[in-house]
Amino acid sequence: MLTPADLADEGDLMRHCVASYTRRIQEGEYFVYHMDHPQPLTIGVKVRNGAVTGHDQIKGIRNHRAEKEANDIVMSWIKNLLNAREL
């Protein structure tokens, strides 16, 4: 998400409170991504000193859990981010 409005739109679309992360995002401590396929998900990635340190959420609509296929795709992507260590 690039702006607070984008974050609010994501929260509206996914019916959860992702907009509450606005401050952390503006401070460069957190990034939020949206995935459409194979399942709509909001993905929260933690950052410290410009390096990815992990994730704290992979949530579907209304904070439902990711299905196995979608979760596996996201976890593979996060593993690659952790190996690269920078966004």
Coordinates of all heavy atoms in Angstrom, one line a residue:
M1 N 0.8 -1.2 0.0 CA 0.0 0.0 0.0 C 0.9 1.2 0.0 O 1.9 1.3 0.7 CB -0.9 0.0 1.2 CG -1.7 -1.3 1.5 SD -3.0 -1.7 0.4 CE -2.3 -3.1 -0.4
L2 N 0.5 2.2 -0.8 CA 1.4 3.4 -0.9 C 0.9 4.6 -0.1 O 1.7 5.4 0.3 CB 1.4 3.8 -2.4 CG 2.0 2.7 -3.3 CD1 1.9 3.2 -4.8 CD2 3.4 2.4 -2.9
T3 N -0.3 4.7 0.2 CA -0.8 5.9 1.0 C -1.8 5.4 2.1 O -2.3 4.3 2.0 CB -1.6 6.8 0.0 OG1 -2.8 6.2 -0.4 CG2 -0.8 7.2 -1.2
P4 N -2.1 6.3 3.0 CA -3.1 6.0 4.1 C -4.4 5.6 3.4 O -5.2 4.8 3.9 CB -3.1 7.2 4.9 CG -1.8 7.8 4.8 CD -1.4 7.5 3.4
A5 N -4.8 6.3 2.3 CA -6.0 6.0 1.6 C -6.0 4.6 1.0 O -7.0 3.9 1.1 CB -6.3 7.1 0.5
D6 N -4.9 4.2 0.5 CA -4.8 2.8 0.0 C -5.0 1.8 1.1 O -5.6 0.8 0.9 CB -3.4 2.6 -0.7 CG -3.2 3.4 -1.9 OD1 -4.1 3.8 -2.6 OD2 -2.0 3.6 -2.3
L7 N -4.4 2.1 2.2 CA -4.5 1.2 3.4 C -6.0 1.2 3.9 O -6.5 0.1 4.2 CB -3.6 1.8 4.5 CG -3.1 0.7 5.5 CD1 -2.4 -0.4 4.8 CD2 -2.2 1.4 6.5
A8 N -6.7 2.3 3.9 CA -8.1 2.3 4.3 C -8.9 1.6 3.2 O -9.8 0.8 3.6 CB -8.6 3.8 4.4
D9 N -8.6 1.7 2.0 CA -9.3 0.9 0.9 C -9.1 -0.6 1.1 O -10.0 -1.4 0.9 CB -8.8 1.3 -0.5 CG -9.3 2.7 -0.9 OD1 -10.2 3.3 -0.2 OD2 -8.7 3.3 -1.9
E10 N -7.9 -1.0 1.5 CA -7.6 -2.4 1.7 C -8.4 -2.9 2.9 O -9.0 -4.0 2.8 CB -6.1 -2.6 2.0 CG -5.7 -4.0 2.3 CD -5.8 -5.0 1.1 OE1 -6.1 -4.6 0.0 OE2 -5.5 -6.2 1.4
G11 N -8.5 -2.1 3.9 CA -9.3 -2.5 5.1 C -10.8 -2.6 4.7 O -11.4 -3.5 5.2
D12 N -11.3 -1.7 3.9 CA -12.7 -1.8 3.5 C -12.9 -3.0 2.6 O -13.9 -3.7 2.8 CB -13.1 -0.5 2.7 CG -13.2 0.7 3.5 OD1 -13.2 0.6 4.8 OD2 -13.2 1.8 3.0
L13 N -12.0 -3.2 1.7 CA -12.1 -4.4 0.8 C -12.1 -5.7 1.5 O -12.9 -6.6 1.3 CB -11.0 -4.3 -0.3 CG -10.9 -5.6 -1.2 CD1 -12.0 -5.6 -2.2 CD2 -9.5 -5.5 -1.9
M14 N -11.1 -5.8 2.5 CA -10.9 -7.1 3.2 C -11.7 -7.1 4.5 O -11.6 -8.2 5.2 CB -9.4 -7.3 3.4 CG -8.6 -7.3 2.1 SD -9.0 -8.8 1.1 CE -8.3 -10.1 2.1
R15 N -12.3 -6.1 4.9 CA -13.1 -6.0 6.1 C -12.3 -6.3 7.3 O -12.7 -7.2 8.1 CB -14.3 -6.9 5.9 CG -15.2 -6.5 4.8 CD -16.5 -7.3 4.8 NE -17.3 -6.9 3.6 CZ -17.5 -7.6 2.5 NH1 -16.9 -8.8 2.4 NH2 -18.2 -7.2 1.6
H16 N -11.2 -5.6 7.5 CA -10.4 -5.7 8.7 C -9.7 -4.4 9.0 O -9.9 -3.4 8.3 CB -9.4 -6.9 8.7 CG -8.5 -7.0 7.5 ND1 -7.7 -5.9 7.1 CD2 -8.2 -8.0 6.6 CE1 -7.0 -6.3 6.1 NE2 -7.3 -7.5 5.8
C17 N -8.9 -4.4 10.1 CA -8.4 -3.1 10.6 C -7.0 -2.8 10.1 O -6.2 -2.2 10.9 CB -8.5 -3.0 12.1 SG -7.5 -4.3 12.9
V18 N -6.6 -3.2 9.0 CA -5.2 -3.0 8.5 C -4.8 -1.5 8.5 O -3.6 -1.2 8.7 CB -5.0 -3.6 7.1 CG1 -5.7 -2.8 6.0 CG2 -3.5 -3.7 6.8
A19 N -5.8 -0.6 8.4 CA -5.4 0.8 8.5 C -4.8 1.2 9.8 O -4.2 2.3 9.9 CB -6.7 1.7 8.2
S20 N -5.0 0.4 10.8 CA -4.4 0.8 12.1 C -2.8 0.7 12.1 O -2.2 1.1 13.0 CB -4.9 -0.2 13.2 OG -4.5 -1.5 13.0
Y21 N -2.3 0.2 11.0 CA -0.8 0.1 10.9 C -0.2 1.3 10.2 O 1.0 1.3 9.9 CB -0.5 -1.2 10.0 CG -0.7 -2.5 10.8 CD1 -1.9 -3.1 10.8 CD2 0.4 -3.1 11.5 CE1 -2.1 -4.3 11.5 CE2 0.2 -4.2 12.1 CZ -1.1 -4.8 12.2 OH -1.3 -6.0 12.8
T22 N -1.0 2.3 9.9 CA -0.6 3.5 9.2 C 0.7 4.1 9.8 O 1.7 4.4 9.0 CB -1.7 4.6 9.1 OG1 -2.8 4.0 8.4 CG2 -1.2 5.8 8.3
R23 N 0.8 4.3 11.1 CA 1.9 4.9 11.7 C 3.2 4.1 11.5 O 4.3 4.6 11.1 CB 1.7 5.2 13.2 CG 2.9 5.9 13.8 CD 2.9 5.8 15.4 NE 2.8 4.4 15.9 CZ 3.9 3.6 16.0 NH1 5.0 3.9 15.5 NH2 3.7 2.4 16.5
R24 N 3.1 2.8 11.7 CA 4.2 1.9 11.5 C 4.7 1.9 10.1 O 5.9 1.9 9.8 CB 3.9 0.5 12.0 CG 3.8 0.4 13.5 CD 3.4 -1.0 13.9 NE 4.5 -2.0 13.6 CZ 4.3 -3.3 13.5 NH1 3.1 -3.8 13.8 NH2 5.3 -4.1 13.2
I25 N 3.8 2.0 9.1 CA 4.2 2.0 7.7 C 4.9 3.3 7.4 O 5.9 3.3 6.8 CB 2.9 1.8 6.8 CG1 2.4 0.4 7.0 CG2 3.2 2.2 5.4 CD1 1.0 0.2 6.4
Q26 N 4.3 4.4 7.9 CA 4.9 5.7 7.6 C 6.3 5.8 8.2 O 7.2 6.5 7.7 CB 4.0 6.9 8.1 CG 2.8 7.0 7.3 CD 1.8 8.0 7.9 OE1 1.7 8.2 9.1 NE2 1.0 8.7 7.1
E27 N 6.6 5.1 9.3 CA 7.9 5.1 9.9 C 8.8 4.1 9.3 O 10.0 3.9 9.8 CB 7.7 4.9 11.4 CG 7.1 6.1 12.1 CD 6.8 5.9 13.6 OE1 7.1 4.8 14.1 OE2 6.2 6.8 14.2
G28 N 8.4 3.4 8.3 CA 9.2 2.4 7.6 C 9.4 1.1 8.4 O 10.3 0.3 8.1
E29 N 8.6 0.8 9.4 CA 8.7 -0.4 10.2 C 7.9 -1.5 9.7 O 8.0 -2.7 10.2 CB 8.3 -0.1 11.6 CG 9.1 0.9 12.3 CD 8.5 1.3 13.7 OE1 7.5 0.8 14.0 OE2 9.2 2.1 14.3
Y30 N 7.0 -1.3 8.7 CA 6.0 -2.3 8.3 C 5.6 -2.0 6.9 O 5.5 -0.9 6.5 CB 4.8 -2.1 9.3 CG 3.9 -3.3 9.3 CD1 4.2 -4.4 10.1 CD2 2.7 -3.3 8.7 CE1 3.3 -5.5 10.2 CE2 1.8 -4.3 8.8 CZ 2.1 -5.4 9.5 OH 1.3 -6.5 9.6
F31 N 5.4 -3.1 6.2 CA 4.9 -3.0 4.8 C 3.6 -3.9 4.7 O 3.6 -4.9 5.3 CB 5.9 -3.4 3.8 CG 7.0 -2.5 3.6 CD1 8.1 -2.3 4.5 CD2 7.0 -1.7 2.5 CE1 9.1 -1.4 4.3 CE2 8.1 -0.7 2.3 CZ 9.1 -0.6 3.2
V32 N 2.7 -3.4 3.9 CA 1.5 -4.2 3.7 C 1.3 -4.5 2.2 O 1.5 -3.6 1.4 CB 0.2 -3.5 4.2 CG1 -1.1 -4.2 3.8 CG2 0.3 -3.3 5.7
Y33 N 1.0 -5.7 1.9 CA 0.9 -6.2 0.5 C -0.5 -6.9 0.4 O -1.0 -7.4 1.3 CB 2.0 -7.2 0.1 CG 3.3 -6.6 0.2 CD1 4.1 -6.6 1.3 CD2 3.8 -5.9 -1.0 CE1 5.4 -6.1 1.4 CE2 5.1 -5.4 -0.9 CZ 5.9 -5.4 0.2 OH 7.1 -4.9 0.3
H34 N -1.0 -6.8 -0.8 CA -2.3 -7.5 -1.1 C -2.0 -8.6 -2.2 O -1.3 -8.3 -3.1 CB -3.3 -6.5 -1.6 CG -4.6 -7.2 -2.0 ND1 -5.6 -7.4 -1.0 CD2 -5.1 -7.7 -3.1 CE1 -6.6 -8.1 -1.6 NE2 -6.3 -8.2 -2.9
M35 N -2.6 -9.7 -2.0 CA -2.5 -10.8 -2.9 C -3.9 -11.2 -3.4 O -4.8 -11.2 -2.5 CB -1.8 -12.0 -2.3 CG -1.7 -13.2 -3.2 SD -0.7 -14.5 -2.5 CE -1.9 -15.6 -1.8
D36 N -4.1 -11.3 -4.7 CA -5.5 -11.7 -5.2 C -5.6 -13.2 -5.4 O -6.7 -13.7 -5.2 CB -5.7 -11.0 -6.5 CG -6.0 -9.5 -6.3 OD1 -6.7 -9.2 -5.4 OD2 -5.5 -8.7 -7.1
H37 N -4.6 -13.8 -5.9 CA -4.8 -15.2 -6.3 C -3.7 -16.1 -5.6 O -2.6 -15.7 -5.5 CB -4.6 -15.3 -7.8 CG -4.8 -16.7 -8.4 ND1 -6.1 -17.2 -8.6 CD2 -4.0 -17.7 -8.7 CE1 -6.0 -18.4 -9.0 NE2 -4.7 -18.7 -9.2
P38 N -4.1 -17.2 -5.1 CA -5.3 -18.0 -5.3 C -6.4 -17.6 -4.3 O -7.5 -18.1 -4.4 CB -4.9 -19.4 -5.1 CG -3.7 -19.3 -4.1 CD -3.0 -18.0 -4.5
Q39 N -6.1 -16.7 -3.4 CA -7.1 -16.2 -2.4 C -6.7 -14.8 -2.1 O -5.6 -14.4 -2.0 CB -6.9 -17.1 -1.2 CG -7.7 -16.7 0.0 CD -7.4 -17.4 1.3 OE1 -6.4 -18.3 1.3 NE2 -8.1 -17.2 2.3
P40 N -7.7 -13.9 -1.9 CA -7.4 -12.5 -1.5 C -6.9 -12.5 -0.1 O -7.5 -13.1 0.8 CB -8.8 -11.8 -1.6 CG -9.7 -12.7 -2.2 CD -9.2 -14.1 -2.2
L41 N -5.7 -11.9 0.0 CA -5.0 -11.9 1.3 C -4.4 -10.5 1.6 O -3.9 -9.9 0.6 CB -3.9 -12.9 1.5 CG -4.3 -14.4 1.4 CD1 -3.1 -15.3 1.4 CD2 -5.2 -14.7 2.6
T42 N -4.3 -10.1 2.8 CA -3.5 -9.0 3.2 C -2.3 -9.6 3.9 O -2.4 -10.4 4.8 CB -4.3 -8.0 4.1 OG1 -5.4 -7.6 3.5 CG2 -3.4 -6.9 4.6
I43 N -1.1 -9.1 3.6 CA 0.1 -9.7 4.1 C 0.9 -8.5 4.8 O 1.2 -7.5 4.2 CB 1.0 -10.3 3.0 CG1 0.2 -11.3 2.3 CG2 2.3 -10.8 3.6 CD1 0.6 -11.6 0.8
G44 N 1.2 -8.7 6.1 CA 2.0 -7.7 6.8 C 3.4 -8.2 7.0 O 3.6 -9.3 7.5
V45 N 4.4 -7.3 6.6 CA 5.8 -7.7 6.7 C 6.5 -6.7 7.6 O 6.4 -5.5 7.4 CB 6.4 -7.6 5.3 CG1 7.9 -7.9 5.4 CG2 5.8 -8.6 4.4
K46 N 7.2 -7.2 8.6 CA 7.9 -6.4 9.6 C 9.3 -6.0 9.0 O 10.0 -6.9 8.4 CB 8.1 -7.1 10.9 CG 6.7 -7.4 11.6 CD 6.9 -7.9 12.9 CE 7.3 -9.4 12.9 NZ 7.3 -10.0 14.2
V47 N 9.7 -4.8 9.3 CA 11.0 -4.3 8.8 C 11.7 -3.6 9.9 O 11.1 -2.9 10.7 CB 10.8 -3.3 7.6 CG1 12.1 -2.7 7.1 CG2 10.0 -3.9 6.5
R48 N 13.0 -3.8 9.9 CA 13.9 -3.1 10.9 C 15.2 -2.6 10.2 O 15.8 -3.5 9.5 CB 14.2 -3.9 12.1 CG 15.0 -3.2 13.1 CD 15.2 -4.1 14.3 NE 15.2 -3.2 15.5 CZ 15.1 -3.6 16.7 NH1 15.1 -4.9 16.9 NH2 15.1 -2.8 17.7
N49 N 15.5 -1.4 10.3 CA 16.7 -0.8 9.6 C 16.7 -1.2 8.1 O 17.8 -1.5 7.6 CB 17.9 -1.3 10.3 CG 18.0 -0.7 11.7 OD1 17.6 0.4 12.0 ND2 18.5 -1.6 12.6
G50 N 15.5 -1.1 7.5 CA 15.5 -1.4 6.0 C 15.5 -2.9 5.6 O 15.5 -3.2 4.5
A51 N 15.6 -3.8 6.6 CA 15.7 -5.2 6.3 C 14.4 -5.9 6.8 O 13.9 -5.6 7.9 CB 16.9 -5.8 7.0
V52 N 14.0 -6.9 6.0 CA 12.8 -7.7 6.4 C 13.2 -8.5 7.6 O 14.2 -9.2 7.6 CB 12.3 -8.5 5.2 CG1 11.2 -9.5 5.6 CG2 11.9 -7.6 4.1
T53 N 12.3 -8.5 8.6 CA 12.6 -9.3 9.8 C 11.6 -10.4 10.0 O 11.7 -11.3 10.9 CB 12.7 -8.5 11.1 OG1 11.4 -7.8 11.3 CG2 13.8 -7.5 11.0
G54 N 10.5 -10.4 9.2 CA 9.5 -11.5 9.3 C 8.2 -10.9 8.9 O 8.1 -9.9 8.3
H55 N 7.1 -11.6 9.3 CA 5.8 -11.2 9.0 C 4.9 -11.4 10.3 O 5.4 -12.1 11.2 CB 5.2 -12.1 7.9 CG 4.8 -13.4 8.3 ND1 5.8 -14.4 8.5 CD2 3.6 -14.0 8.6 CE1 5.2 -15.5 8.9 NE2 3.8 -15.3 8.9
D56 N 3.8 -10.7 10.3 CA 3.0 -10.9 11.5 C 1.5 -11.2 11.1 O 0.7 -11.4 12.0 CB 3.1 -9.8 12.5 CG 2.4 -8.5 12.1 OD1 2.0 -8.4 10.9 OD2 2.1 -7.7 13.0
Q57 N 1.2 -11.1 9.8 CA -0.1 -11.5 9.4 C -0.2 -11.9 8.0 O 0.5 -11.4 7.1 CB -1.1 -10.4 9.7 CG -1.0 -9.1 8.9 CD -2.1 -8.2 9.2 OE1 -3.3 -8.6 9.2 NE2 -1.8 -6.9 9.4
I58 N -1.0 -12.9 7.7 CA -1.4 -13.4 6.4 C -2.9 -13.6 6.6 O -3.3 -14.7 7.1 CB -0.7 -14.7 6.0 CG1 0.8 -14.5 6.0 CG2 -1.2 -15.1 4.6 CD1 1.6 -15.8 5.9
K59 N -3.7 -12.6 6.2 CA -5.1 -12.7 6.6 C -6.0 -12.5 5.4 O -5.8 -11.7 4.5 CB -5.5 -11.6 7.6 CG -4.7 -11.6 8.9 CD -5.2 -12.8 9.7 CE -4.5 -12.7 11.1 NZ -4.9 -13.8 11.9
G60 N -7.1 -13.3 5.3 CA -8.1 -13.2 4.3 C -9.2 -12.2 4.7 O -9.0 -11.4 5.7
I61 N -10.3 -12.2 4.0 CA -11.4 -11.4 4.3 C -11.9 -11.7 5.7 O -12.0 -12.8 6.1 CB -12.5 -11.6 3.3 CG1 -12.0 -11.1 1.9 CG2 -13.8 -10.8 3.7 CD1 -12.9 -11.5 0.8
R62 N -12.1 -10.6 6.5 CA -12.5 -10.6 7.9 C -11.6 -11.4 8.7 O -11.9 -12.1 9.7 CB -13.9 -11.2 8.0 CG -15.0 -10.4 7.4 CD -16.4 -10.9 7.8 NE -17.4 -10.0 7.3 CZ -18.3 -10.3 6.3 NH1 -18.3 -11.5 5.8 NH2 -19.2 -9.4 6.0
N63 N -10.3 -11.3 8.4 CA -9.2 -11.9 9.2 C -9.2 -13.5 9.1 O -8.6 -14.1 10.0 CB -9.1 -11.4 10.6 CG -8.6 -10.0 10.7 OD1 -7.7 -9.6 10.0 ND2 -9.2 -9.2 11.6
H64 N -9.9 -14.0 8.1 CA -9.9 -15.5 8.0 C -8.5 -16.0 7.7 O -7.7 -15.3 7.1 CB -10.9 -16.0 7.0 CG -12.3 -15.9 7.5 ND1 -13.3 -15.9 6.6 CD2 -12.8 -15.8 8.7 CE1 -14.5 -15.8 7.3 NE2 -14.2 -15.7 8.6
R65 N -8.2 -17.2 8.1 CA -6.9 -17.8 7.8 C -6.7 -18.0 6.3 O -7.7 -18.3 5.6 CB -6.9 -19.2 8.5 CG -5.9 -19.2 9.6 CD -5.9 -20.6 10.1 NE -5.8 -20.5 11.5 CZ -5.6 -21.4 12.4 NH1 -5.5 -22.6 11.9 NH2 -5.6 -21.2 13.6
A66 N -5.5 -18.0 5.9 CA -5.1 -18.3 4.5 C -5.3 -19.8 4.3 O -5.0 -20.6 5.1 CB -3.7 -17.9 4.2
E67 N -5.8 -20.1 3.1 CA -5.9 -21.5 2.7 C -4.4 -22.0 2.5 O -3.5 -21.2 2.3 CB -6.7 -21.6 1.4 CG -8.1 -21.2 1.6 CD -8.9 -21.0 0.3 OE1 -8.3 -21.3 -0.8 OE2 -10.0 -20.6 0.4
K68 N -4.2 -23.3 2.6 CA -2.9 -23.9 2.5 C -2.1 -23.4 1.3 O -1.0 -23.0 1.4 CB -3.0 -25.4 2.6 CG -1.6 -26.0 2.6 CD -1.6 -27.5 2.6 CE -0.2 -28.2 2.6 NZ 0.9 -27.4 2.3
E69 N -2.7 -23.5 0.1 CA -2.0 -23.1 -1.1 C -1.6 -21.7 -1.1 O -0.4 -21.4 -1.4 CB -2.9 -23.4 -2.3 CG -2.3 -22.9 -3.7 CD -3.2 -23.0 -4.9 OE1 -4.4 -23.3 -4.7 OE2 -2.7 -22.8 -6.0
A70 N -2.4 -20.8 -0.7 CA -2.1 -19.4 -0.6 C -1.0 -19.1 0.5 O -0.1 -18.4 0.3 CB -3.4 -18.5 -0.3
N71 N -1.2 -19.8 1.6 CA -0.2 -19.6 2.7 C 1.2 -20.1 2.2 O 2.2 -19.4 2.5 CB -0.6 -20.4 3.9 CG 0.2 -20.1 5.1 OD1 0.1 -19.0 5.7 ND2 1.0 -21.0 5.5
D72 N 1.2 -21.2 1.5 CA 2.5 -21.7 1.0 C 3.2 -20.7 0.1 O 4.4 -20.5 0.1 CB 2.3 -23.1 0.3 CG 2.0 -24.2 1.3 OD1 2.1 -24.0 2.5 OD2 1.6 -25.3 0.8
I73 N 2.4 -20.1 -0.8 CA 2.9 -19.1 -1.7 C 3.5 -17.9 -1.0 O 4.6 -17.5 -1.2 CB 1.8 -18.7 -2.7 CG1 1.5 -19.8 -3.7 CG2 2.3 -17.4 -3.5 CD1 0.2 -19.6 -4.5
V74 N 2.7 -17.4 0.0 CA 3.2 -16.3 0.8 C 4.5 -16.6 1.6 O 5.4 -15.9 1.6 CB 2.1 -15.8 1.7 CG1 2.6 -14.7 2.6 CG2 0.9 -15.2 0.9
M75 N 4.5 -17.8 2.2 CA 5.6 -18.2 3.0 C 6.9 -18.3 2.2 O 8.0 -18.0 2.6 CB 5.3 -19.4 3.8 CG 4.3 -19.2 4.9 SD 4.6 -17.8 6.0 CE 6.1 -18.4 6.8
S76 N 6.7 -18.8 1.0 CA 7.9 -18.9 0.1 C 8.4 -17.5 -0.3 O 9.6 -17.3 -0.3 CB 7.5 -19.7 -1.2 OG 8.5 -19.7 -2.1
W77 N 7.5 -16.6 -0.6 CA 7.8 -15.2 -0.9 C 8.6 -14.6 0.3 O 9.6 -13.9 0.1 CB 6.6 -14.5 -1.3 CG 6.8 -13.0 -1.5 CD1 7.5 -12.4 -2.5 CD2 6.3 -12.0 -0.7 NE1 7.4 -11.1 -2.4 CE2 6.7 -10.7 -1.3 CE3 5.5 -11.9 0.4 CZ2 6.4 -9.5 -0.8 CZ3 5.2 -10.7 1.0 CH2 5.6 -9.5 0.4
I78 N 8.0 -14.8 1.5 CA 8.6 -14.2 2.7 C 10.0 -14.8 2.9 O 10.9 -14.1 3.3 CB 7.7 -14.3 3.9 CG1 6.5 -13.4 3.8 CG2 8.5 -14.0 5.2 CD1 5.4 -13.6 4.8
K79 N 10.2 -16.1 2.7 CA 11.5 -16.7 2.9 C 12.5 -16.1 1.9 O 13.6 -15.8 2.3 CB 11.3 -18.2 2.6 CG 12.6 -19.0 2.8 CD 12.4 -20.4 2.5 CE 13.8 -21.2 2.6 NZ 13.6 -22.6 2.3
N80 N 12.0 -15.8 0.7 CA 12.9 -15.1 -0.3 C 13.3 -13.7 0.2 O 14.4 -13.3 0.0 CB 12.3 -15.1 -1.7 CG 12.3 -16.4 -2.3 OD1 13.1 -17.3 -2.0 ND2 11.3 -16.7 -3.2
L81 N 12.3 -13.0 0.7 CA 12.6 -11.7 1.3 C 13.6 -11.7 2.4 O 14.5 -10.9 2.5 CB 11.3 -11.0 1.8 CG 10.3 -10.5 0.8 CD1 9.0 -10.0 1.5 CD2 10.9 -9.4 0.0
L82 N 13.4 -12.7 3.3 CA 14.3 -12.8 4.4 C 15.7 -13.1 3.9 O 16.7 -12.6 4.5 CB 13.9 -13.9 5.4 CG 12.7 -13.5 6.2 CD1 12.1 -14.7 7.0 CD2 13.0 -12.4 7.2
N83 N 15.8 -13.9 2.9 CA 17.2 -14.2 2.3 C 17.8 -13.0 1.7 O 19.0 -12.8 1.7 CB 17.1 -15.4 1.3 CG 16.8 -16.7 2.0 OD1 17.1 -16.9 3.1 ND2 16.2 -17.6 1.2
A84 N 16.9 -12.2 1.0 CA 17.4 -11.0 0.4 C 17.7 -9.9 1.4 O 18.6 -9.1 1.3 CB 16.4 -10.4 -0.6
R85 N 16.9 -9.9 2.5 CA 17.1 -9.0 3.7 C 16.8 -7.5 3.4 O 16.8 -6.7 4.3 CB 18.4 -9.1 4.3 CG 18.7 -10.5 4.9 CD 17.7 -10.9 5.8 NE 18.1 -10.9 7.2 CZ 17.4 -11.2 8.2 NH1 16.1 -11.5 8.0 NH2 17.8 -11.3 9.4
E86 N 16.5 -7.2 2.2 CA 16.1 -5.8 1.9 C 14.9 -5.7 1.0 O 14.7 -6.6 0.2 CB 17.3 -5.0 1.3 CG 18.4 -4.8 2.2 CD 19.5 -4.0 1.6 OE1 19.3 -3.3 0.6 OE2 20.6 -4.0 2.2
L87 N 14.1 -4.7 1.2 CA 12.9 -4.5 0.3 C 13.3 -3.6 -0.8 O 14.2 -2.8 -0.7 CB 11.8 -3.8 1.1 CG 11.1 -4.6 2.2 CD1 10.1 -3.8 2.9 CD2 10.5 -5.8 1.6

